[in-house]
Amino acid sequence: MNHFAQIAAKLEENGLDAMLLTEEANRLYASGFRSYGTDGAALITKNKTYYLTDFRYIEAVHKHVENAEITMTTRERGYTVLLEELVQSCGLHRVGFDDAYMTVADGETYHKALSCELVGASGLLRELRAVKDAEELESMIAAQRIAERALDDILKEIHPGVAEKEIAARLTYLMLHYGAENMSFDPIVVSGPNGSLPHGVPSQKKIERGEFVTMDFGCIKNGYCSDMTRTVAVGEPSDEMRRVYDIVARAQKAGIDAARGGVTGKAVDGAARKVIEDAGYGEYFGHSFGHSLGVEIHEAPNAAPMNDKPLPVGATISAEPGIYLPGRFGVRIEDVILLREDGCEDITRARKDLVIL
Ligand code: ZN
Ligand code: ZN
């Protein structure tokens, strides 16, 4: 799977002769091949793509990167030398680059080494990446199904006395076991009072009876991320815990019901936020309703109070309201939804009624 043609088709309207991708996420989206950091470069011109890489990746690139002319860097002819040769031979004047990702130091190096004009053009990739095609969706759903199998298993292993870290380690193992390439991010597992930290780090704290356990995790399949949060009770929850869980579930439903292509991120967030505010917990929902995801776990656009632009049809956005009561407990429930013209499709299948273990 690569998106060279889609990028090439956008060059003209952006006033560019080519797009240079040197950073991991955009290069992965464009080529379908993951190499790390700055290990690789793709130069996409209107009618041809050039892919440069070093000795460590050359065999894999020949196998996985299609529709591109592939060249290996050497000690004498590194990325900047090879790219300048292409700038000259292809007659490139205005070339877009990964300004949202590149370090200032690398930017200076490229500006000095290349005789063309370099123009920040991450927005072109951001817009393309926001709308998923069928193959991308298939990968995201496959990643989600792996995470769901891991969840099914882990629910049988959560007991009083098991440490948060142990659960995080097992989730990681199970997702790899069921076919994940890697984690989308380090799993978050927080329990009891730690649950009020939305992005808390799993600790040696042991689960106790009467606590909530919040697990936020996802994995990567074919380069694409999944993301899901479930909060479960270990032993009988208090009335307030039940009430807060119910409010978060209703807020999530309100957000999902409001979500479709053409609606602003602010409106989707607002629909969920209203449920939590009306229930008197507004100040305890301090983050946004959702973020996009794809080759990265956090992409644009967001379903957030600051986003007053319409969300595009084909975007995949998390739906993750939460209520966090400091020093006491927290609840978050997260699915991923695909925006359609007339609504949205929830690609998460895991049950989300209150599970009591
Ligand atoms: Zn998450
Ligand atoms: Zn998320």
Side-chain angles (χ1 to χ4, degrees):
M1 165 174 40
N2 72 55
H3 296 97
F4 295 139
Q6 287 84 346
I7 296 167
K10 289 276 173 192
L11 294 173
E12 189 75 49
E13 67 189 70
N14 284 274
L16 299 171
D17 298 323
M19 183 79 206
L20 169 63
L21 300 176
T22 56
E23 310 300 314
E24 187 171 329
N26 281 336
R27 199 177 58 233
L28 167 60
Y29 168 79
S31 69
F33 176 74
R34 185 190 293 276
S35 55
Y36 291 95
T38 52
D39 295 336
L43 182 72
I44 300 144
T45 72
K46 283 170 189 165
N47 42 36
K48 194 168 178 183
T49 294
Y50 302 87
Y51 195 97
L52 315 179
T53 191
D54 67 44
F55 176 80
R56 296 166 301 166
Y57 294 98
I58 191 72
E59 187 181 347
V61 165
H62 272 293
K63 203 165 158 190
H64 297 292
V65 178
E66 291 170 352
N67 310 114
E69 184 179 305
I70 296 161
T71 307
M72 189 175 87
T73 60
T74 61
R75 218 165 278 137
E76 296 74 36
R77 292 167 79 226
Y79 288 110
T80 50
V81 173
L82 291 172
L83 286 167
E84 175 56 17
E85 286 175 11
L86 289 169
V87 166
Q88 300 278 349
S89 63
C90 301
L92 306 176
H93 300 290
R94 274 173 66 86
V95 175
F97 79 105
D98 260 339
D99 58 322
Y101 293 84
M102 190 183 279
T103 65
V104 173
D106 283 351
E108 281 176 9
T109 302
Y110 279 107
H111 273 100
K112 269 190 207 140
L114 303 185
S115 59
C116 58
E117 184 189 353
L118 283 173
V119 185
S122 295
L124 187 163
L125 270 292
R126 192 159 49 237
E127 272 179 34
L128 282 175
R129 283 170 52 186
V131 176
K132 270 67 183 179
D133 59 33
E135 222 175 333
E136 292 180 289
L137 275 173
E138 202 181 299
S139 299
M140 293 181 72
I141 290 170
Q144 177 55 27
R145 295 294 165 265
I146 291 170
E148 285 162 3
R149 287 183 77 180
L151 177 68
D152 281 348
D153 286 7
I154 203 75
L155 290 180
K156 297 173 198 137
E157 301 180 17
I158 298 175
H159 310 288
V162 178
E164 293 170 352
K165 254 189 182 169
E166 192 63 31
I167 297 169
R170 284 289 294 155
L171 278 172
T172 302
Y173 170 82
L174 287 163
M175 286 189 276
L176 292 173
H177 175 73
Y178 286 128
E181 288 158 16
N182 207 341
M183 304 301 101
S184 306
F185 54 92
D186 293 336
I188 295 166
V189 179
V190 285
S191 63
N194 291 350
S196 67
L197 308 166
H199 274 191
V201 177
S203 72
Q204 298 291 5
K205 177 192 169 299
K206 292 185 162 69
I207 311 299
E208 290 177 36
R209 194 166 293 284
E211 286 183 339
F212 271 144
V213 179
T214 297
M215 294 169 283
D216 187 347
F217 58 102
C219 66
I220 298 174
K221 187 73 181 173
N222 304 327
Y224 284 78
C225 294
S226 73
D227 191 7
M228 154 171 72
T229 306
R230 287 295 180 267
T231 300
V232 299
V234 179
E236 205 48 42
S238 68
D239 288 348
E240 190 186 21
M241 286 164 74
R242 281 179 186 275
R243 191 165 65 245
V244 167
Y245 190 93
D246 177 62
I247 296 162
V248 173
R250 283 193 288 117
Q252 194 206 34
K253 185 173 184 311
I256 291 173
D257 287 348
R260 61 182 159 80
V263 166
T264 66
K266 184 180 177 171
V268 176
D269 176 279
R273 197 168 297 280
K274 184 173 187 314
V275 172
I276 293 177
E277 279 170 357
D278 288 352
Y281 288 94
E283 64 182 294
Y284 303 108
F285 175 29
H287 58 75
S288 304
F289 179 75
H291 56 88
S292 288
L293 63 158
V295 293
E296 289 182 293
I297 186 63
H298 291 134
E299 298 190 351
N302 294 319
M306 299 295 286
N307 183 12
D308 51 15
K309 293 202 186 76
L311 300 166
V313 171
T316 45
I317 294 183
S318 71
E320 53 175 312
I323 292 176
Y324 311 92
L325 305 176
R328 300 178 59 210
F329 67 89
V331 174
R332 177 167 67 260
I333 307 169
E334 176 181 27
D335 288 2
V336 170
I337 55 176
L338 164 66
L339 303 192
R340 305 258 195 218
E341 244 161 60
D342 54 352
C344 70
E345 187 186 319
D346 193 333
I347 69 171
T348 312
R349 296 256 177 86
R351 62 185 284 199
K352 53 188 174 184
D353 54 324
L354 177 55
V355 172
I356 301 173
L357 301 171

